[in-house]
């Protein structure tokens, strides 16, 4: 995408916007830094318009969609600095020691916020569903796929009913074969990744129970979810795949795993011993 001064573009086309688009434009111009970290659902809600109106606003600016719009906003925030945006606190002048301290603070802050967002009743319900499920599918694409694979790797040590498919085509095929006895755990920071939303839609149609791990309480993904677990890391559009976001997601998955292990301790201990013994000869 060619870099443009998106704020100047909005101002130049302002008189051609519809009244609804002007609501979005006004909010963006007055709250640019906040919008960078907002989902399309969040922006629509604060502007008092529908998600489709936000999407049309982006199309009016000759952009492909909301994500490209946020990227343009992020570029606007770093005009005059050609280096990638690292975070809202890291600067190009930071020493390694300063970077280390700031990154530690960011990760601690993300974990603390995630902890504060936890609804413990929802966690208990999620674990109960996983225990009772015939199969548990972990879904994600891009960097969220790596988190889903880590969840699969962790749970497979204590149970043989977890799955994780890497290819997005195979994911939708897997979702189409789910039943009411299955649980789908869908991981998406934004909650607006098209492939993941399509998987959620298909899995829901087949009667599966959906657990969403995401940043935003209201998003296209959470509209399908039976349980939503929120992670507390802020990730800008130029920071996709940040470890801070991944750490907060893994924290939630570790909580699910540990509670699962606790409630199925006899079976889980036996299976963990079996899986550990299975690879013992691989070790020095």
């Amino acid at each position: 995408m060619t870099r443009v001064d998106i704020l100047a573009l909005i101002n130049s086309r302002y008189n051609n916007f519809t009244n609804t688009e002007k609501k979005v434009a006004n909010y963006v111009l007055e709250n640019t830094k906040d919008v960078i970290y907002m989902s399309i659902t969040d922006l629509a809600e604060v502007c008092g318009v529908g998600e489709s109106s936000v999407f049309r606003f982006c199309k009016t600016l000759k952009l492909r969609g909301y994500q490209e719009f946020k990227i343009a906003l992020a570029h606007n925030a770093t005009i005059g600095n050609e280096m990638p945006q690292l975070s809202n606190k890291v600067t190009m002048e930071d020493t390694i020691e300063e970077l280390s301290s700031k990154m530690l603070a960011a990760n601690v802050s993300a974990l603390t916020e995630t902890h504060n967002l936890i609804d413990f009743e929802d966690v208990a319900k999620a674990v109960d569903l996983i225990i009772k499920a015939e199969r548990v599918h972990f879904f994600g694409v891009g960097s969220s796929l790596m988190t889903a694979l880590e969840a699969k790797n962790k749970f497979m040590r204590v149970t043989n009913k977890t799955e994780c498919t890497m290819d997005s085509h195979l994911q939708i095929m897997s979702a189409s074969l789910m039943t009411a006895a299955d649980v789908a755990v869908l991981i998406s920071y934004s909650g607006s990744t098209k492939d993941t939303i399509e998987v959620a839609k298909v899995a829901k149609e087949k009667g599966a129970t959906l657990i969403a791990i995401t940043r935003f309480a209201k998003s296209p993904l959470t509209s399908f979810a039976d349980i939503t677990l929120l992670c507390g890391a802020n990730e800008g559009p130029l920071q996709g795949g940040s470890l801070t976001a991944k750490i907060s997601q893994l924290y939630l998955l570790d909580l699910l795993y540990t509670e699962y292990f606790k409630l199925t301790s006899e079976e889980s201990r036996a299976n963990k011993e079996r899986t550990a013994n299975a690879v013992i000869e691989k070790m020095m």
Side-chain angles (χ1 to χ4, degrees), residues 15 23 41 102 104 108 120 122 140 145 153 158 220 227 234 255:
N15 291 335
K23 289 183 180 180
T41 309
K102 288 183 177 181
L104 173 62
V108 171
F120 296 106
D122 281 344
L145 173 59
N153 177 57
V158 296
I227 296 175
N234 283 328
L255 179 60

Side-chain angles (χ1 to χ4, degrees), residues 74-238:
H75 279 310
N76 225 87
T78 56
I79 287 177
N81 185 351
E82 293 300 313
M83 296 299 290
Q85 177 191 11
L86 298 176
S87 78
N88 60 337
K89 295 181 179 179
V90 172
T91 70
M92 302 313 299
E93 290 74 32
D94 286 339
T95 64
I96 294 176
E97 290 81 2
E98 289 169 333
L99 283 175
S100 176
S101 178
K102 288 183 177 181
M103 293 171 78
L104 173 62
N107 287 323
V108 171
S109 175
L111 289 172
T112 301
E113 185 176 351
T114 301
H115 172 75
N116 292 336
L117 288 169
I118 292 174
D119 183 322
F120 296 106
E121 289 187 5
D122 281 344
V123 172
K125 291 176 185 176
V127 173
D128 184 58
L129 288 168
I130 292 172
I131 290 173
K132 294 177 179 177
E134 287 187 5
R135 293 181 299 166
V136 180
H137 299 244
F138 293 98
F139 293 104
V141 297
S143 61
S144 292
L145 173 59
M146 300 300 103
T147 307
L149 284 169
E150 180 61 31
K152 153 71 174 176
N153 177 57
K154 196 168 187 68
F155 273 90
M156 72 176 291
R157 297 170 186 270
V158 296
T159 180
N160 64 353
K161 64 183 181 182
T162 58
E163 300 180 18
C164 182
T165 306
M166 296 188 67
D167 182 82
S168 60
H169 290 186
L170 296 180
Q171 285 188 20
I172 201 76
M173 291 167 63
S174 181
S176 72
L177 296 175
M178 297 187 77
T179 71
D182 299 331
V183 169
V185 181
L186 300 114
I187 304 167
S188 171
Y189 176 86
S190 67
S192 58
T193 307
K194 290 181 180 179
D195 286 340
T196 304
I197 294 169
E198 189 62 25
V199 166
K201 180 180 179 181
V202 172
K204 192 72 172 179
E205 288 173 352
K206 298 304 177 181
T209 301
L210 274 59
I211 300 171
I213 295 179
T214 184
R215 177 66 176 102
F216 304 102
K218 294 183 180 180
S219 70
L221 176 60
T222 59
S223 66
F224 293 101
D226 296 286
I227 296 175
T228 298
L229 303 179
L230 299 176
C231 59
N234 283 328
E235 180 181 275
L238 299 183

Side-chain angles (χ1 to χ4, degrees), residues 21-74:
E21 289 172 340
K22 285 180 179 178
K23 289 183 180 180
V24 179
N26 290 338
Y27 188 86
V28 169
L29 292 171
E30 294 172 7
N31 304 275
T32 304
K33 291 183 179 179
D34 293 333
V35 175
I36 290 175
Y37 298 102
M38 295 173 72
S39 69
I40 187 171
T41 309
D42 288 338
L43 181 58
E45 190 172 83
V46 297
C47 294
V49 302
E51 292 176 22
S52 59
S53 297
V54 177
F55 185 75
R56 284 195 299 271
F57 168 75
C58 298
K59 298 294 283 187
T60 301
L61 295 173
K62 307 300 181 184
L63 301 173
R64 287 171 291 182
Y66 185 65
Q67 187 64 17
E68 186 172 14
F69 170 69
K70 289 212 302 180
I71 290 173
L73 277 182

Side-chain angles (χ1 to χ4, degrees), residues 4-25:
V4 296
D5 186 338
I6 192 67
L7 300 182
L9 184 61
I10 291 172
N11 283 314
S12 69
R13 299 189 180 183
Y14 187 85
N15 291 335
N16 295 324
F17 290 149
T18 64
N19 289 336
T20 301
E21 289 172 340
K22 285 180 179 178
K23 289 183 180 180
V24 179

